[in-house]
Amino acid sequence: DSVAIFAQSTEGGIPNTIDITVNGAIVGGSNNGKGIWVDGGLNNAVVVGASGSVSAASNTAIFYTGGGELVVGNYGSVTGSVLIDGSTFTNYGTYNVGDASSVEGYFTQDAAGTLTFNFGTSTLPRLTVQYDTNLYGTVRPIVSGWLLPIANAVIAPGPGAAVYNYYAATPSTPIFGWNYAQPEPFGTFYMTPFATFASAAGGLDANEQSAAAYLQGQWNAANPNLAGFFAALYSGIDTP
């Protein structure tokens, strides 16, 4: 239940502004633990510097209470939920949402920012954002042990909110790449991997091309018995 940083300004008339700058590793505890908890204050700000990181075993990285405002700017690394009571979180660095995180407020990713998530079998959104999302920069799936052409819900907006995708970049390899889609305009943002074994085999001998065609067929069929193999193959190829 530990809180790595707790800052409060609630007493005596007009509350003071709380400004926190993080240039090291901040790690909160499990259960009700938090990386940073700000209570009260007015026009507050948390800035995670390029060498800074914020996370918690509970998955609550940054938490705000008090009815004012807490603007968060990340130039380093934030892992987990950012619960800031309707304020704005802007990612200029790396924001890792893992299997399931949320932003209680507005989320903007700058062109320099990267959003990472765990790609897998779960049908739950990896990131739920209360209000609007403006997505620039890069979205990078983390592949570990399982890869098939199955869509993952990456960002889901809250009721009445929208996800605006400004052509966020995705990683690619000589064989694998990623497509994104929003079946409903400005709705949930999905990503699905694709593979081009057959076209990548151009110039190889007949046996190699036959093997590539077999793998392409198994990929297209989403053969669950080869999900681990495809994940290992993906992870063994450098991505930009």
Side-chain angles (χ1 to χ4, degrees):
D1 291 329
S2 63
V3 177
I5 294 178
F6 177 68
Q8 184 179 50
S9 176
T10 60
E11 299 296 331
I14 298 176
N16 294 317
T17 295
I18 299 172
D19 289 319
I20 298 173
T21 299
V22 176
N23 288 312
I26 301 299
V27 181
S30 57
N31 299 318
N32 293 316
K34 299 163 182 65
I36 298 173
W37 180 2
V38 175
D39 183 47
L42 187 67
N43 300 323
N44 309 301
V46 168
V47 175
V48 182
S51 61
S53 63
V54 181
S55 64
S58 67
N59 202 51
T60 301
I62 301 173
F63 185 70
Y64 177 67
T65 52
E69 181 182 34
L70 177 65
V71 174
V72 177
N74 172 44
Y75 296 84
S77 173
V78 171
T79 299
S81 294
V82 178
L83 308 179
I84 48 177
D85 196 25
S87 298
T88 298
F89 170 37
T90 303
N91 180 42
Y92 304 92
T94 299
Y95 180 35
N96 180 13
V97 301
D99 292 314
S101 296
S102 59
V103 171
E104 189 181 77
Y106 295 87
F107 175 58
T108 293
Q109 178 162 282
D110 183 77
T114 298
L115 177 74
T116 65
F117 70 95
N118 294 340
F119 183 84
T121 60
S122 174
T123 58
L124 296 175
R126 300 308 190 270
L127 176 64
T128 301
V129 181
Q130 180 184 21
Y131 298 132
D132 290 350
T133 295
N134 289 286
L135 186 65
Y136 298 85
T138 300
V139 181
R140 183 179 297 275
I142 298 172
V143 175
S144 178
W146 190 93
L147 185 68
L148 287 175
I150 305 297
N152 273 203
V154 183
I155 304 175
V163 177
Y164 299 102
N165 173 28
Y166 295 95
Y167 303 102
T170 58
S172 63
T173 78
I175 294 175
F176 294 102
W178 298 85
N179 291 320
Y180 51 69
Q182 288 177 276
E184 297 182 6
F186 311 116
T188 299
F189 172 82
Y190 293 86
M191 285 183 64
T192 307
F194 66 85
T196 56
F197 291 99
S199 61
L204 301 179
D205 65 32
N207 288 335
E208 292 167 328
Q209 290 190 21
S210 177
Y214 169 80
L215 289 174
Q216 189 70 59
Q218 296 302 302
W219 172 266
N220 293 345
N223 184 346
N225 296 320
L226 290 179
F229 169 80
F230 290 134
L233 185 61
Y234 179 92
S235 299
I237 300 175
D238 290 337
T239 57

